Amino acid sequence: MKKNTKKPAAFETRAIHVGGEPDPTTGAIMPPIFQTSTYVQSSPGEHKGYEYSRTHNPTRSRLEECLASLEGADQCLVTSSGLAATSLIMHALPHGSRVLCGDDVYGGTYRAFTKVFQDMHKFEFADTTDLKSLAAKIQKFKPALVWIETPTNPMLKISDIAAIVKLAKKVKAKVVVDNTFMSPYFQKPLSLGADIVMHSMTKYINGHSDVVGGALMLDNGPFCDKLRFLQNAVGPCLAPFDSWLILRGIKTLAVRMEATGKNAMKVAEYLEKHKKVVSVVYPGLKSHPQHGLAKKQASGFSGMITFFVKGGLKESRKFLESVELFALAESLGGVESLVEHPAIMTHASVPANIRKELGIHDNLIRLSVGIEHIDDLIADLDQAFAKI
Ligand code: P1T
């Protein structure tokens, strides 16, 4: 994208054009996929900026440029999965660091912190929606890093990013926000003071359920340099074709997020009135405990809904086996609607007693609302409820 205009281009425009410049050698409007592992040098050490694709790849560089722009960061590093991005941060921290993590996070993140990195760092978990107790915990534990997901997966709790940054700064802790559920279209944690944004690009950023990938966005500095070093030294790099697919998916990020948000609001309102539903959790509903905060720190509520169906596992199973348009599958953020059972599926790696404390009961169902026609989505939910 030419950089001679005074006013920075809007999000929608940057999503299409940053990193999307036509190929300079052929004029191809779509960037080529540099499906190569290595690059020819004219003399040892003399090359065109690319040596080996674990270190650099032109297709991957384009994706990183686009994502840095959308999230408002100096830099972006893309990785082979969301968990690979999380792992890079863990490797970048000095050994023995203290990490304070939100109590309700993706099951795989919880598993990584408690079953992979637990000997490298010291982890504690806290309800990051309760600022008073969080302030005390931060003062006592003195973490080097505070890790939050907002909204959380799967309970959709909202944490006050700016307030947590203030608390973290008092003990010089960095704040990482897993922004997967919102995408940079609805929420920009760096603008609220966070140090690093992490994404599972597998979800909204790519949006088409055909790639697994992760991303870290942050500003220039020693921590960024360390992550770049580790991206090459540890090796969780994203393949050129996957980078290209995500670059393609991002072009429609704004319209997809608008559509998913609109559909989700209608589905949430429908569920809230349904007699076979005990309660609905959706940040866009006035009944959500942090609805006001959600409105203040983000520009939309995204497409994730959780609800408690009347009954227990039997009723949940019946509902999940009966949906026809909603697909019963892990993951989220694609154009197609998905439904899942957190206790058995995405959060099975969280111990049962902790699941219970968090409210991840057998009658909890999670929806990722896609961008199909709303009437078809409601009709599908209706017929599935009728089968219970
Ligand atoms: O699956 P992967 O790309 O490695 O991303 C992990 C991850 C990180 N953070 C959040 C908030 C996530 O939701 C995920 C992955 N989540 C699912 C697969 C899921 O169904 O919730």
Side-chain angles (χ1 to χ4, degrees):
M1 199 170 137
K2 288 178 193 153
K3 287 180 183 144
N4 56 0
T5 44
K6 284 205 181 91
K7 191 169 173 274
F11 185 97
E12 292 82 346
T13 311
R14 283 180 284 128
I16 294 167
H17 292 285
V18 176
E21 297 80 5
D23 173 40
T25 53
T26 62
I29 193 158
M30 285 304 136
I33 307 167
F34 284 92
Q35 194 68 40
T36 186
S37 60
T38 193
Y39 306 83
V40 177
Q41 309 197 3
S42 54
S43 180
E46 281 179 28
H47 51 77
K48 297 181 168 69
Y50 293 93
E51 293 159 274
Y52 187 59
S53 278
R54 173 163 32 74
T55 327
H56 288 118
N57 177 276
T59 315
R60 204 160 73 220
S61 303
R62 280 177 178 258
L63 173 61
E64 292 182 334
E65 193 194 338
C66 181
L67 283 169
S69 167
L70 297 184
E71 199 69 68
D74 290 342
Q75 299 274 337
C76 169
L77 296 82
V78 294
T79 55
S80 53
S81 69
L83 279 175
T86 300
S87 301
L88 271 192
I89 296 182
M90 292 302 114
H91 284 295
L93 292 174
H95 276 228
S97 292
R98 289 165 180 241
V99 179
L100 186 62
C101 179
D103 58 0
D104 181 39
V105 288
Y106 168 56
T109 306
Y110 181 86
R111 181 177 55 204
F113 289 172
T114 56
K115 295 218 163 80
V116 181
F117 294 106
Q118 79 282 359
D119 296 330
M120 195 186 270
H121 304 306
K122 185 166 169 39
F123 293 89
E124 285 210 4
F125 295 85
D127 179 357
T128 52
T129 64
D130 180 350
L131 288 174
K132 218 170 146 199
S133 73
L134 186 69
K137 189 131 198 180
I138 287 177
Q139 279 306 322
K140 190 163 169 236
F141 185 53
K142 300 220 172 356
L145 190 91
V146 177
W147 185 286
I148 54 175
E149 247 180 54
T150 182
T152 58
N153 182 0
M155 300 310 292
L156 305 177
K157 296 196 288 185
I158 310 282
S159 297
D160 188 331
I161 300 171
I164 292 172
V165 166
K166 264 196 200 155
L167 296 176
K169 290 266 177 295
K170 287 188 188 163
V171 296
K172 297 194 170 64
K174 286 188 193 306
V175 175
V176 178
V177 177
D178 182 336
N179 204 24
T180 298
F181 273 27
M182 296 301 266
S183 91
Y185 182 70
F186 282 141
Q187 181 168 276
K188 294 188 184 61
L190 297 180
S191 74
L192 299 168
D195 299 282
I196 305 169
V197 165
M198 177 262 153
H199 278 280
S200 166
M201 296 197 292
T202 317
K203 323 298 181 201
Y204 289 107
I205 285 187
N206 178 52
H208 294 78
S209 305
D210 49 13
V211 178
V212 172
L216 298 174
M217 291 82 156
L218 73 168
D219 283 343
N220 292 325
F223 201 75
C224 182
D225 295 344
K226 190 154 184 198
L227 288 169
R228 273 274 177 233
F229 166 79
L230 287 167
Q231 187 189 28
N232 179 49
V234 178
C237 53
L238 191 70
F241 183 51
D242 288 352
S243 301
W244 186 87
L245 279 171
I246 298 174
L247 203 47
R248 184 183 196 240
I250 286 179
K251 289 179 197 286
T252 54
L253 181 60
V255 285
R256 284 189 284 106
M257 293 315 289
E258 282 294 333
T260 194
K262 260 189 210 151
N263 272 355
M265 192 69 213
K266 288 186 183 146
V267 169
E269 284 166 351
Y270 158 83
L271 290 170
E272 209 166 39
K273 287 190 205 118
H274 203 286
K275 60 180 190 308
K276 289 187 182 165
V277 172
V278 181
S279 63
V280 184
V281 188
Y282 181 63
L285 290 176
K286 288 203 178 77
S287 58
H288 189 287
Q290 295 105 24
H291 174 64
L293 173 60
K295 264 199 336 204
K296 193 181 90 183
Q297 77 177 5
S299 58
F301 308 109
S302 208
M304 300 303 295
I305 302 174
T306 53
F307 68 95
F308 295 90
V309 69
K310 257 187 202 154
L313 187 57
K314 187 168 149 248
E315 287 72 16
S316 296
R317 261 195 203 285
K318 190 72 200 163
F319 178 84
L320 293 164
E321 286 165 3
S322 303
V323 283
E324 290 171 2
L325 186 55
F326 277 82
L328 175 59
E330 301 205 4
S331 204
L332 58 112
V335 290
E336 64 291 311
S337 294
L338 302 181
V339 62
E340 67 113 9
H341 189 268
I344 296 178
M345 297 166 71
T346 50
H347 291 71
S349 52
V350 177
N353 62 321
I354 295 179
R355 281 205 309 265
K356 209 170 154 197
E357 271 171 33
L358 293 170
I360 307 174
H361 301 305
D362 282 346
N363 64 336
L364 181 74
I365 290 175
R366 189 187 79 178
L367 300 178
S368 168
V369 180
I371 63 170
E372 300 93 338
H373 197 286
I374 185 65
D375 294 349
D376 296 324
L377 294 176
I378 303 273
D380 188 36
L381 296 172
D382 241 359
Q383 66 79 26
F385 277 124
K387 299 229 169 78
I388 299 178

